[in-house]
Amino acid sequence: MQKVIIESDLQGKRADEALFALGIVPSRSKTKPFFKQGKVFLNGKTCKPHDWLKEGDVLEYETPEVQEIDLPAQDIPLDIVFEDDDVIVINKPAGLVVHPGNGHEDQTLVNALLYHNESLSAGSDPKRPGIVHRIDKDTTGLLVCAKNDAAFSFLAAQLSDHTMHREYLALVKGIILEDDGKIDAPIGRSKKNPTKNAIDLKTGKESVTYFHVLKRFPKDDVTLISCRLLTGRTHQIRVHMEYIGHPVIGDPLYGEGNRKIAKGGQLLHAFRLTFIHPKTKKEVSFEAPLPDQFEKILESLS
């Protein structure tokens, strides 16, 4: 049984929030089994997730069991932008799925990471070791992976409180007249198509995207923009840009008639990633150049 004395910085937090903030579990959702099985105690009594904490409280918990990673390591080339004992930053190519799932049991980024590095954080799911955040199969660019559980918890907390900055470049259909914009529209699973997400004003989750116009191409009726995510919903930029009438060029799932210029997937690239390093506690920032296809299409525009 492990013991923690609650200090002032955790006063007023819920017990499940404290377990996450302390790096004991990789996400708040992963605290549920501990509470359900009675493995968390507050001042000697069984604790519930929503119990509020005060400075000086004694929080006790059983050490989480380490989940075995049972996935094949596969020799898949990786474009490694940065690596040390705690994190590895990857520039992901189009066509590479991030982790195993329905229809993609192997040949994923996770399988490549396991071949490159045997030690990865168990993360929040045994099928997603080391994966802190994801980008879509045909979206290119940067993502950071964790090599140990402490790094995972530290990075996941930044993702949760929006202090990890992820910026994208996208070529979208139509001419955006505003130089800057904010799209604040909740996203949920599409009720018409289970493979898609959609704006759901009633039950969708908070989703906020900021965009900035970099260049307009009137003759080609397209606009190059940068996007910054405040939240990180599945397909967020793709859903939001379709919602305002400017779907991402080449997107096979969102937007009609926007695949004449690019047919090999959406022109969406995660070009900049900024976060606080889990060990040094200093801000680090990385950039990845546009992939060849994206670059050539930009050069071909009028």
Side-chain angles (χ1 to χ4, degrees), residues 56-281:
D57 279 346
V58 178
L59 189 68
E60 296 175 282
Y61 61 93
E62 289 187 25
T63 304
E65 296 180 5
V66 177
Q67 293 179 305
E68 293 293 328
I69 298 173
D70 186 22
L71 296 169
Q74 295 173 317
D75 187 5
I76 301 169
L78 289 174
D79 182 0
I80 299 172
V81 176
F82 173 82
E83 182 178 12
D84 62 13
D85 292 338
D86 298 284
V87 302
I88 179 168
V89 178
I90 302 293
N91 181 18
K92 190 189 82 65
L96 183 63
V97 175
V98 171
H99 59 74
N102 293 334
H104 300 282
E105 296 304 319
D106 60 4
Q107 296 296 314
T108 70
L109 175 63
V110 161
N111 301 107
L113 287 170
L114 289 170
Y115 183 89
H116 172 76
N117 187 89
E118 294 181 358
S119 176
L120 288 174
S121 164
S124 59
D125 187 315
K127 283 195 172 185
R128 305 177 186 181
I131 301 302
V132 178
H133 61 113
R134 296 171 290 171
I135 54 179
D136 300 334
K137 174 185 175 183
D138 290 321
T139 298
T140 57
L142 298 171
L143 71 166
V144 59
C145 305
K147 287 188 167 185
N148 53 65
D149 290 344
F152 181 90
S153 295
F154 191 84
L155 293 168
Q158 293 180 64
L159 199 65
S160 178
D161 64 17
H162 311 313
T163 54
M164 179 182 291
H165 298 293
R166 295 160 292 158
E167 298 176 66
Y168 293 72
L169 294 175
L171 191 67
V172 301
K173 183 182 179 182
I175 302 301
I176 299 178
L177 300 179
E178 302 85 358
D179 290 336
D180 297 277
K182 174 185 177 182
I183 308 169
D184 187 350
I187 292 175
R189 182 65 65 186
S190 171
K191 295 178 175 60
K192 297 180 180 179
N193 184 341
T195 66
K196 298 178 66 173
N197 281 345
I199 301 302
D200 187 338
L201 299 177
K202 291 184 178 180
T203 61
K205 294 182 179 180
E206 179 193 20
S207 306
V208 179
T209 303
Y210 295 93
F211 69 83
H212 171 69
V213 170
L214 296 173
K215 193 169 184 178
R216 300 177 178 91
F217 300 89
K219 290 184 179 180
D220 300 285
D221 193 34
V222 293
T223 303
L224 179 66
I225 62 172
S226 62
C227 294
R228 181 170 61 85
L229 294 178
L230 181 64
T231 54
R233 309 301 172 202
T234 300
H235 301 170
Q236 179 172 313
I237 292 174
R238 299 163 66 188
V239 173
H240 272 171
M241 296 315 298
E242 181 191 44
Y243 178 61
I244 66 170
H246 297 284
V248 178
I249 294 296
D251 195 324
L253 202 56
Y254 300 96
E256 295 296 330
N258 64 332
R259 290 184 286 282
K260 294 179 181 178
I261 296 177
K263 299 179 181 179
Q266 61 269 10
L267 295 184
L268 181 61
H269 177 66
F271 82 99
R272 183 181 293 136
L273 177 65
T274 304
F275 57 89
I276 305 299
H277 190 281
K279 182 168 287 183
T280 67
K281 302 301 186 290

